[in-house]
Amino acid sequence: MATETLTLGKALNAGMRKALENDPKVVIMGEDVGKLGGVFRITDGLQKDFGDQRVIDTPLAESGIIGTAVGLAIRGYRPVCEIQFDGFVYPAYDQIVSQVAKMHYRSRGKLKIPMVIRIPFGGGIGAVEHHSESPEAYFSHTPGLKVATCANPQDAYVMIQQAIASDDPIVFLEPKRRYWEKGPVEVDQPLPEAYPLQAARIARPGTDATLIAYGPMVRTCLDAATAAAEDGRELEVIDLRTLAPLDLGQVYESVRRTGRAIVVHEAPSNIGLGAEVAARITEECFYSLESPVLRVTGYDIPYPASRVEEEYLPDLDRVLDAVDRTFGW
């Protein structure tokens, strides 16, 4: 297979390009996605090559973008909507929850909504207010939506194509602080057919404790595992990939081996994804646990100003502190 070294952002671009080439019903729409190539340049060059009827610059109206995409999806198109920043999605929240998530159920299965809502999410880029949010729990809690997030260029390339090819509406979260990180990408890899989105994967094998993360925190956990190895602890890191529906088979298997689990995410802890993962691990692996399932998360406050965001974000030290605590029981 042909392998290229791409940034995560370029891998997303390549994946969307391939989807546009393979299916004339795929359209990309959003604010500045055309001539500018998106605020992060993720759609760079696509309008030039596919025209402004397939890569569409929209007004600054998130609710209008999603509402228009619902109509396109009902008529057989596969719209890929870009929300410029995570904090801008809330004007479209009504459309997503009331229409996108419910249309298939409301029509008793007669209507499909094959659309993707791309959202750059998380912090770490020094942005201003409304530009560094973690809204995944809102969407994961909504029946009728699938929610996925990539953590490396290879997954970005494959998963965006899987999402576009799916007949279900998918909220696709992109870790914006990782857009510029590079990795190998098999550009001619066939799409997996057995699962509509990528299943959870073991990002690093280990034997002593299990770190469970997704999106931007996968890299943080990998760095923590590397640091812990210097002290003789082998930490297993699992990338969830898909948040709704959760794929926890690998997680259960890992926790039964290690006896310890720590869930890491940027979003606040209160009713976050970590709480659901911790509850399910406790239900399924209770007799294998050597200590309670711990969480390392953002704090239960609005996202802070950029000059202090590093105090808010989970980092290597906070993850390693949780590892120490889980061995203290």
Side-chain angles (χ1 to χ4, degrees):
M1 291 186 177
T3 301
E4 297 181 14
T5 299
L6 300 175
T7 64
L8 191 148
K10 288 294 186 183
L12 288 166
N13 180 284
M16 285 188 284
R17 175 177 293 277
K18 194 164 186 179
L20 286 162
E21 291 171 348
N22 292 342
D23 188 346
K25 291 294 187 179
V26 173
V27 295
I28 294 173
M29 52 197 296
E31 299 161 6
D32 295 322
V33 299
K35 186 175 181 180
L36 182 66
V39 67
F40 292 104
R41 306 299 187 266
I42 305 302
T43 56
D44 187 41
L46 297 182
Q47 188 182 75
K48 176 177 68 71
D49 293 339
F50 295 94
D52 59 9
Q53 297 299 302
R54 296 192 65 196
V55 182
I56 305 162
D57 281 316
T58 68
L60 305 183
E62 287 77 14
S63 182
I65 294 169
I66 302 302
T68 301
V70 170
L72 286 167
I74 290 173
R75 293 303 298 268
Y77 288 87
R78 293 185 177 273
V80 181
C81 305
E82 179 181 294
I83 303 297
Q84 272 195 344
F85 285 91
D86 33 38
F88 298 177
V89 74
Y90 302 120
Y93 188 74
D94 181 22
Q95 290 282 4
I96 295 170
V97 172
S98 300
Q99 307 299 333
V100 175
K102 292 182 171 61
M103 192 66 70
H104 183 71
Y105 182 81
R106 182 184 297 143
S107 67
R108 298 184 181 181
K110 295 179 181 178
L111 295 177
K112 296 178 180 179
I113 307 294
M115 62 183 287
V116 178
I117 302 167
R118 293 179 44 243
I119 307 175
F121 85 121
I125 64 167
V128 296
E129 188 181 22
H130 305 308
H131 290 65
S132 298
E133 305 281 327
S134 296
E136 59 266 28
Y138 298 127
F139 301 114
S140 299
H141 185 68
T142 303
L145 292 178
K146 290 182 177 177
V147 182
T149 180
C150 53
N152 59 67
Q154 179 65 53
D155 275 358
Y157 177 72
V158 173
M159 290 176 68
I160 191 63
Q161 293 181 69
Q162 288 180 298
I164 295 170
S166 173
D167 286 336
D168 299 314
I170 294 172
V171 174
F172 194 88
L173 300 167
E174 302 168 4
K176 67 169 84 77
R177 69 192 294 195
R178 307 301 183 193
Y179 272 148
W180 300 276
E181 293 186 1
K182 294 182 178 181
V185 177
E186 296 177 356
V187 292
D188 54 356
Q189 176 184 357
L191 293 184
E193 297 179 358
Y195 197 79
L197 283 172
Q198 290 285 46
R201 70 182 181 100
I202 296 176
R204 176 184 175 126
T207 56
D208 296 328
T210 303
L211 302 180
I212 303 145
Y214 56 85
M217 285 291 104
V218 174
R219 169 54 54 192
T220 302
C221 287
L222 288 170
D223 291 343
T226 299
E230 297 177 3
D231 295 327
R233 285 178 178 163
E234 293 298 328
L235 306 181
E236 184 146 290
V237 179
I238 295 184
D239 176 4
L240 290 177
R241 284 171 159 168
T242 305
L243 308 183
L246 281 166
D247 174 48
L248 296 182
Q250 290 269 25
V251 173
Y252 299 151
E253 181 182 333
S254 176
V255 173
R256 290 186 183 113
R257 283 188 287 102
T258 68
R260 294 175 171 84
I262 300 163
V263 191
V264 185
H265 59 64
E266 283 190 22
S269 63
N270 187 44
I271 318 179
L273 260 293
E276 179 65 26
V277 174
R280 295 201 196 183
I281 291 172
T282 303
E283 290 174 358
E284 295 291 331
C285 307
F286 182 78
Y287 292 106
S288 299
L289 288 170
E290 300 289 342
S291 66
V293 181
L294 301 182
R295 289 176 288 166
V296 180
T297 70
Y299 298 110
D300 293 329
I301 59 172
Y303 197 91
S306 60
R307 65 183 178 275
V308 293
E309 70 175 352
E310 293 304 323
E311 304 298 322
Y312 172 89
L313 291 169
D315 59 10
L316 182 146
D317 288 337
R318 287 177 61 193
V319 174
L320 291 178
D321 177 68
V323 172
D324 288 340
R325 284 189 287 127
T326 195
F327 278 96
W329 287 84

